[in-house]
Amino acid sequence: MADSSDPAFSPILLTLPSLTPSLALEVLPAGLTLHRLFVQADGKTHDILIGPEDPTGHITQKYTNTIIGRYANRLPVGSFAIERNGVHSVVSPKPNEAPTVSLHGGPKGFDAYPWEPLPDPAAAELFTPAELATIQTRLPTSVIFRRISEDGEEGYPGRLLIEALVGLAQPEGAPNQTADGKKEWNLGSVLLVYRAKLLDDNKVTPINLTQHWGFNLDASLQDGPDSLSIKDHTISIKADHTIELNQEGLSTGTLLPVTGTHHAHAEKATGRIGERFPERGYDEFYLFTQREAPPPPSILPASELKPELDLVGAALSRDGPTSDEVASLAGGKSGLRVSFATNQPGVQFYSNNLSVPEKGARKKIHGGSGAVGDGYPPGTAAFLEFHAPLAAWIHPQTRGPLGEDMLLASGEVYNNFVRMDVWYRDGAAGGN
């Protein structure tokens, strides 16, 4: 059993350079976990991520702000022959959620391992010299983590090297003008970039990584029991379809239009999550609509990773195909909003439906005691997990406009980025 002296549970603190930084992020090497994300706005300190007070609490409060892999979400259990670029392998996802369902990489997914922080970013193998220069200049505080997933781990073929960049970027640009005439100020950004390649020849593996982070933008106000609910949050997801799921939560291979359903958040009169809130909460995969210009691919030939290529700089850009805001979440009282840009084809929105307060702990900044037994009730977080569709290589009809099968072969590189911009709207109720 891990304790606080285990270096994997010792937070690595990233802060924007300032006497009172607008953003500060605590990252745990254990499970590449984002333990706390502090936001300073209008004299108030917020932690916008739910989770346990004690870093070791993530051992039992699984999938709370951790990385997920080798394949996120739910896969059918069994053995599946796969092929890409003439290379053949067999993948055999292992059961954990149910005898027929493999969830988030299997019984011991990427969240269950310690990740190695590289003391020198130049030691990274999957980031180009141009990208390392961008990291140094535009991500003033960042860290690259590494791990190797062995051949056969949880039934996945191939020895896989993964490198993950976690960084904070300074605020950019003038404030936005909101629809009600108020100003919205950018407080900075969180950038996540996942890269991976197979170290074996003649192998192919499914890959689909994500950060399973859960947001509550009002909880730090501690403004009564309602401040824990996300039903007053507003959400925007640029999606025309969700994926139909069977009773086990597995993809049926069918796309369902969101129009006229509770998934059409833009159609809601108030835009609030609580309007037409489903009895069992939300736990759906939304496939993004076609973007004006396609974002950088998730799978590219390793030969294209040339010294001058800078996909990190592209991910930070506010112009071009990487700048599209595909989703956003705004608090009901705090004035905080987070918006997301990504090259991933969709997002899983989960409203913390299965949370059992008696089995978890709640942060003190969210009004909890920090002790197990005083956790978060259902409906108290919006998990926004940006990744590819469930079992994309099995169900080609659900891949959407980008059309990627999420199979990675030897000689290729996996590239996944999410940029989260943090905003504060002036004059918000509860902001003081």
Side-chain angles (χ1 to χ4, degrees), residues 209-290:
L209 307 185
T210 194
Q211 203 74 27
H212 202 283
W213 45 4
F215 300 93
N216 188 315
L217 306 186
D218 291 344
S220 297
L221 296 175
Q222 298 187 32
D223 190 19
D226 288 344
S227 67
L228 280 179
S229 173
I230 58 161
K231 290 185 178 181
D232 279 343
H233 286 47
T234 57
I235 193 168
S236 169
I237 301 176
K238 292 182 180 178
D240 292 331
H241 295 89
T242 59
I243 289 180
E244 183 183 55
L245 306 175
N246 65 16
Q247 291 183 342
E248 295 179 309
L250 296 170
S251 172
T252 67
T254 298
L255 293 178
L256 300 176
V258 302
T259 302
T261 75
H262 58 275
H263 297 299
H265 300 287
E267 295 178 3
K268 296 178 179 179
T270 64
R272 293 178 178 173
I273 291 174
E275 184 179 337
R276 300 168 67 188
F277 192 81
E279 182 179 353
R280 296 184 179 180
Y282 286 92
D283 194 8
E284 306 290 333
F285 184 84
Y286 294 73
L287 191 65
F288 296 139
T289 56
Q290 186 162 354

Side-chain angles (χ1 to χ4, degrees), residues 110-129:
F110 284 8
D111 62 294
Y113 290 89
W115 289 65
E116 175 195 1
L118 299 182
D120 181 1
E125 298 181 34
L126 302 180
F127 290 86
T128 70

Side-chain angles (χ1 to χ4, degrees), residues 20-235:
T20 55
S22 55
L23 295 184
L25 177 64
E26 287 186 358
V27 188
L28 306 178
L32 194 59
T33 303
L34 308 184
H35 182 52
R36 301 182 188 274
L37 178 51
F38 291 114
V39 178
Q40 296 278 353
D42 198 24
K44 174 72 178 178
T45 299
H46 303 260
D47 182 354
I48 63 173
L49 296 175
I50 71 158
E53 181 75 17
D54 187 332
T56 62
H58 288 280
I59 297 172
T60 53
Q61 286 178 244
K62 284 181 67 65
Y63 312 136
T64 305
N65 312 326
T66 62
I67 194 171
I68 299 295
R70 189 177 298 193
Y71 203 98
N73 221 308
R74 293 170 175 87
L75 293 177
V77 171
S79 292
F80 302 89
I82 53 177
E83 181 273 334
R84 181 174 173 86
N85 299 342
V87 179
H88 297 261
S89 294
V90 174
V91 58
S92 303
K94 295 185 178 180
N96 55 347
E97 187 179 53
T100 56
V101 178
S102 181
L103 175 66
H104 293 331
K108 192 175 181 181
F110 284 8
D111 62 294
Y113 290 89
W115 289 65
E116 175 195 1
L118 299 182
D120 181 1
E125 298 181 34
L126 302 180
F127 290 86
T128 70
E131 290 175 325
L132 293 176
T134 293
I135 292 168
Q136 185 176 16
T137 56
R138 299 191 61 191
L139 295 170
T141 176
S142 61
V143 62
I144 296 176
F145 293 86
R146 171 191 288 167
R147 81 169 293 259
I148 292 176
S149 174
E150 296 296 342
D151 183 20
E153 183 178 287
E154 297 303 323
Y156 289 89
R159 193 166 185 253
L160 187 73
L161 168 66
I162 314 101
E163 292 179 348
L165 167 67
V166 181
L168 300 181
Q170 294 276 40
E172 291 187 11
N176 292 334
Q177 196 78 20
T178 63
D180 57 2
K182 296 183 178 180
K183 289 184 178 180
E184 187 183 52
W185 304 86
N186 180 222
L187 302 180
S189 306
V190 178
L191 181 67
L192 306 176
V193 181
Y194 308 126
R195 297 275 169 84
K197 74 170 183 179
L198 287 162
L199 300 177
D200 307 314
D201 294 330
N202 299 314
K203 290 282 188 178
V204 58
T205 183
I207 184 168
N208 189 21
L209 307 185
T210 194
Q211 203 74 27
H212 202 283
W213 45 4
F215 300 93
N216 188 315
L217 306 186
D218 291 344
S220 297
L221 296 175
Q222 298 187 32
D223 190 19
D226 288 344
S227 67
L228 280 179
S229 173
I230 58 161
K231 290 185 178 181
D232 279 343
H233 286 47
T234 57
I235 193 168

Side-chain angles (χ1 to χ4, degrees), residues 52 57 60-61 355-362 370-376:
T60 53
Q61 286 178 244
S355 180
V356 180
E358 295 77 17
K359 294 184 178 180
R362 177 162 39 110
V372 174
D374 183 24
Y376 296 86

